[in-house]
Amino acid sequence: MAQYGIHHVTAISGEARRNHDFYTRILGMRLVKKTVNFDDPGTYHFYYGDETGQPGSILTFFPWAGAPQGRQGVGELQETVFRIPQASVGYWTHRLMANGVQADAQVERFGEAVIGFRDPDGMRIALVALPGIENEPGWSNGDVPAEHAIRGIHGVTLLLEKGEATGAILSDVFGFTEAAKEGTTTRFHAPGTKIGGVVDLRVVGGFLPARQGVGSVHHLAFRAEDDAAQEEMVRKLAANHGLQTTEQRDRNYFRSVYFREPGRVLFEIATDIPGFAVDEPASELGNALKLPDFLEPHRAEIERVLPALA
Ligand code: ZN
């Protein structure tokens, strides 16, 4: 069976060091790749994930210190939700509080316990406590014990003016099925996908459109096993939904096409291959600044303009 689900979420942060500290130390995620924005090489591109950076575990950032703050609204990804073991709720509640992160009261969504909070730039993050995942491997660099570690992305919520056309693409192109409804939110689920298998469409009328900036999500990437699977998705988007994607772009760790879905969220289709161990050993992921071949001649200049992280 083809492997479907979320590949990664990419967002805009403020100051690089603060973003790096929050996701690696407070949330205990692994920096699986330290590179630059290929289209803007004076800016970092951080990839946070699990031990190997498997698809569905990845949240990435472009830190643009000094950029204007984003404004939440329709036509954007509102919240990214990470999986934690059910027995780790107490640990995380205490950890967030001890680090000055103000968490919302725990709520129940689709029968699951969810704790929401904001990262230092105001981006909405949540943890969902799931039964039966405590034996999935957790990565630890010593900040968060492996037993309590985040086990990848659970899902995302898109805030939309209308949901039908977006839902049709999730079902027809990305292998999701409509699973449940709660209030104005429809849950789509990729059957058989453990991490990154949930997309919630929250439909609200009369909201202002989102304005992208610091604390906003830039795009949401879905998985394609390989180039052939991606090509088939591109074909379906054109044939069944009248949507054209960009040309394929080589992102070194995956190959991508992009399109604006009908609800105005920027979607990407990223291949599972080749993955993050393509340019450094799995044990060393994230330690060195990695550059694509075309930027390697400019390394000294790039390293000079990138802010220090420690
Ligand atoms: Zn992306």
Side-chain angles (χ1 to χ4, degrees), residues 8 10 219 221 254 258 268:
H8 64 265
T10 290
H219 63 264
F254 41 84
Y258 303 82
E268 171 183 349

Side-chain angles (χ1 to χ4, degrees), residues 82-92 128-136 138 146-151:
F82 289 104
R83 307 160 79 234
I84 58 166
Q86 201 156 46
S88 300
V89 170
Y91 172 85
W92 278 102
V128 61
L130 297 178
I133 69 166
E134 60 281 354
N135 293 327
E136 292 178 18
E147 61 175 309
H148 298 306
I150 282 172
R151 307 295 207 279

Side-chain angles (χ1 to χ4, degrees), residues 31-35 253 275-290:
L31 179 68
V32 294
K33 195 63 66 181
K34 181 166 59 179
T35 183
Y253 314 106
F276 292 101
V278 71
D279 62 355
E280 58 188 336
S283 59
E284 298 294 319
L285 290 180
N287 291 342
L289 177 72
K290 304 306 290 184

Side-chain angles (χ1 to χ4, degrees), residues 22 25-26 93-103 117-118 120:
F22 186 80
R25 189 179 60 78
I26 298 183
T93 306
H94 181 263
R95 181 172 184 78
L96 293 173
M97 201 186 298
N99 283 282
V101 181
Q102 208 182 340
F117 55 94
R118 287 171 184 268

Side-chain angles (χ1 to χ4, degrees), residues 33-86:
K33 195 63 66 181
K34 181 166 59 179
T35 183
V36 295
N37 182 336
F38 291 3
D39 305 317
D40 174 19
T43 299
Y44 276 119
H45 193 181
F46 294 146
Y47 290 78
Y48 304 109
D50 64 7
E51 181 167 11
T52 59
Q54 59 179 321
S57 76
I58 303 291
L59 173 61
T60 97
F61 286 92
F62 300 129
W64 281 333
Q69 191 72 24
R71 183 189 64 204
Q72 286 237 308
V74 292
E76 75 170 349
L77 193 155
Q78 186 189 25
E79 185 179 65
T80 304
V81 185
F82 289 104
R83 307 160 79 234
I84 58 166
Q86 201 156 46

